[in-house]
């Protein structure tokens, strides 16, 4: 093997080796990434919050009478929203639980919607802590809904 000198007087030699030495932790990194990707769906299932796609949502609305809760701010909601959606910005959910109470009692499917899906997940977690039973988030949010050319109200 070859040696590379480090420091003065040859002290602190470091072996570079012939290429058969330790490798970067590629596989450990790959396993960690795959674990994180698998964790989110498992966490969501165990939390009682499910995802619904833009294609599946109309069926949930029409057959299960799902209620849409749009958690975007009022300005974004007014630009475009799903018909009959209830607008409660995510940071005001706890203050407006009374508006959703009748749906909790009926155990109605409740789908939270935002622009991309992130805020809806946060809102669903708030409602889960308040014991709302049948929670969904729109996967991809309004971006996905509009990408599928599904109807919006303006």
């Amino acid at each position: 093997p070859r040696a590379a000198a480090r420091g003065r007087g040859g002290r602190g030699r470091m072996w570079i080796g012939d290429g058969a030495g330790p490798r970067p932790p590629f596989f450990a990194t790959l396993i960690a990434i795959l674990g994180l990707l698998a964790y989110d769906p498992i966490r969501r299932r165990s939390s009682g919050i499910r995802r619904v796609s833009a294609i599946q949502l109309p069926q949930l609305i029409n057959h299960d009478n799902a209620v849409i809760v749009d958690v975007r701010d009022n300005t974004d909601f007014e630009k475009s929203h799903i018909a009959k959606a209830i607008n409660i910005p995510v940071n005001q959910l706890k203050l407006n639980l009374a508006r959703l109470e009748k749906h909790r009692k009926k155990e109605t499917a409740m789908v939270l919607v935002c622009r991309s899906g992130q805020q809806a997940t946060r809102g669903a977690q708030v409602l889960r802590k308040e014991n709302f039973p049948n929670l969904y988030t729109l996967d991809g949010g309004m971006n996905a809904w509009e990408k599928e050319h599904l109807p919006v109200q303006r």
Side-chain angles (χ1 to χ4, degrees):
R2 301 177 313 205
R6 223 176 16 177
R8 293 182 176 210
R11 290 187 308 234
R13 291 185 183 266
M14 177 178 79
W15 289 98
I16 294 176
D18 59 3
R23 304 257 185 254
F26 174 75
F27 290 108
T29 303
L30 179 63
I31 289 171
I33 290 170
L34 291 174
L36 290 172
L37 289 173
Y39 173 72
D40 186 54
I42 292 169
R43 179 185 56 80
R44 284 174 154 269
R45 241 180 269 127
S46 67
S47 72
I49 301 168
R50 294 168 283 194
R51 287 184 182 173
V52 62
S53 73
I55 298 297
Q56 296 167 324
L57 182 53
Q59 182 176 354
L60 197 61
I61 294 168
N62 295 329
H63 295 160
D64 296 350
N65 296 317
V67 173
I68 308 300
V69 179
D70 193 319
V71 297
R72 297 175 297 156
D73 63 42
N74 297 335
T75 305
D76 288 337
F77 180 80
E78 288 172 9
K79 287 179 186 174
S80 73
H81 59 271
I82 298 170
K84 299 181 183 175
I86 300 167
N87 181 224
I88 305 174
V90 71
N91 60 354
Q92 297 175 17
L93 267 174
K94 276 195 164 192
L95 301 172
N96 287 280
L97 292 175
R99 290 178 62 191
L100 304 174
E101 189 60 38
K102 66 181 175 185
H103 304 295
R104 176 181 12 202
K105 289 180 180 174
K106 293 180 185 177
E107 295 192 11
T108 305
M110 195 171 296
V111 183
L112 280 81
V113 176
C114 65
R115 183 180 51 81
S116 64
Q118 297 297 318
Q119 294 299 316
T121 299
R122 197 171 123 217
Q125 290 167 347
V126 168
L127 293 180
R128 187 87 211 125
K129 287 179 185 173
E130 297 294 330
N131 298 315
F132 280 81
N134 204 359
L135 298 172
Y136 294 82
T137 58
L138 176 58
D139 199 16
M142 286 300 292
N143 290 341
W145 182 265
E146 291 176 351
K147 183 179 177 185
E148 295 295 338
H149 304 288
L150 292 163
V152 295
Q153 289 188 337
R154 298 186 190 278

